[in-house]
Amino acid sequence: MSAPTTAEITSALQPSCCQTAAHALTIVRDGVITGEGPTTKGRIHFSRALDADDAAWCARILTASAVVHEPLSRAEIEVLFEISDAAAERTDDGRFDDLLAKAVAHHAASESGLPVPPRTVALSPDTDIESWAPTKAANVDTKVLEWIASQMRGKRHSNQRLAALVATLIGVAALPLAQLPGMLDMGML
C-alpha cells in the first residue's frame, strides 16, 4: 500500500460533513504530536507544540463551507480536546483556546436545542463568545455539561476561558453542591 498523495491529503483536510471534519482534525492532531505531516509542511514545527498555523488549520476545517451551517459535533469537540492535550507548548497567542471554548459552547447549545449562529460567526476571533453562547444553564442539557466537565477533568493544560464558561453554566444549573467538585476541577479556575 502506497503513502497517500498530496491531493488525497488535501482532500482529507476539506471536510464534506462533521465526520470528515473530525477526521481532518485528527490529521492536525497528529501533526501537533509528531511535528510532521501535511499540516506542518514548509515550516519548522516541533513535536508536542501548537502554533498559530495549527490553530488556523483547525479554524479552516471547522468553518469549511460544507459544515458551516451545521452544529459542532461531539466527535469534532473530542478531537479538539485531544489536540489541546497533545500540545505541551503553545505559541498561538491563545487562538486555539478561544476556538476550543467557542466550539464547546456551540456544541453544548446546539445539543440542548438552543439556536446557534453559523460556525464562521461563532468561531471567529472577532466574535465575543458572550454575544451568542448561553449564559444560563436553565436550557442547557445537564448531560452535555457533565460530558464537557469530564473532558476537562485532569487535563495538563487548562483553558481558563472554557473553565470559566463551564463554571458559570454549572453554577446556574443549581446542581446539588455535592456533585460540583466531581464535575469540574475547581483548581482549574
Side-chain angles (χ1 to χ4, degrees):
M1 185 166 204
S2 63
T5 66
T6 302
E8 291 171 330
I9 291 169
T10 302
S11 174
L13 293 170
Q14 289 295 331
S16 58
C17 64
C18 293
Q19 183 178 0
T20 57
H23 175 71
L25 290 169
T26 66
I27 295 170
V28 176
R29 179 205 58 209
D30 294 347
V32 168
I33 292 171
T34 65
E36 300 174 351
T39 61
T40 64
K41 287 212 181 294
R43 61 192 175 104
I44 296 173
H45 193 290
F46 299 103
S47 63
R48 299 286 179 181
L50 187 142
D51 61 19
D53 288 342
D54 296 318
W57 270 111
C58 292
R60 223 178 350 256
I61 291 165
L62 292 173
T63 59
S65 61
V67 295
V68 73
H69 294 290
E70 297 294 322
L72 274 109
S73 70
R74 184 170 284 200
E76 291 168 302
I77 302 302
E78 287 173 343
V79 180
L80 289 175
F81 275 118
E82 291 171 9
I83 292 169
S84 182
D85 291 346
E89 181 180 331
R90 308 280 179 115
T91 57
D92 68 324
D93 294 324
R95 175 63 180 118
F96 182 82
D97 283 349
D98 180 66
L99 181 70
L100 176 60
K102 290 174 178 177
V104 168
H106 196 271
H107 173 71
S110 66
E111 281 292 302
S112 301
L114 301 173
V116 291
R119 293 176 181 212
T120 50
V121 173
L123 303 178
S124 171
D126 298 327
T127 303
D128 288 328
I129 194 170
E130 295 81 11
S131 70
W132 63 267
T135 56
K136 296 180 182 163
N139 296 325
V140 178
D141 186 341
T142 304
K143 296 233 182 274
V144 174
L145 292 174
E146 290 171 354
W147 176 78
I148 293 167
S150 74
Q151 291 293 309
M152 295 172 61
R153 198 175 301 119
K155 303 300 183 189
R156 97 178 92 130
H157 178 82
S158 64
N159 181 328
Q160 300 300 324
R161 185 170 203 152
L162 181 57
L165 174 71
V166 171
T168 299
L169 290 175
I170 291 172
V172 175
L175 293 172
L177 194 54
Q179 285 183 341
L180 191 57
M183 287 187 60
L184 182 64
D185 178 4
M186 296 310 277
M188 292 174 56
L189 299 175

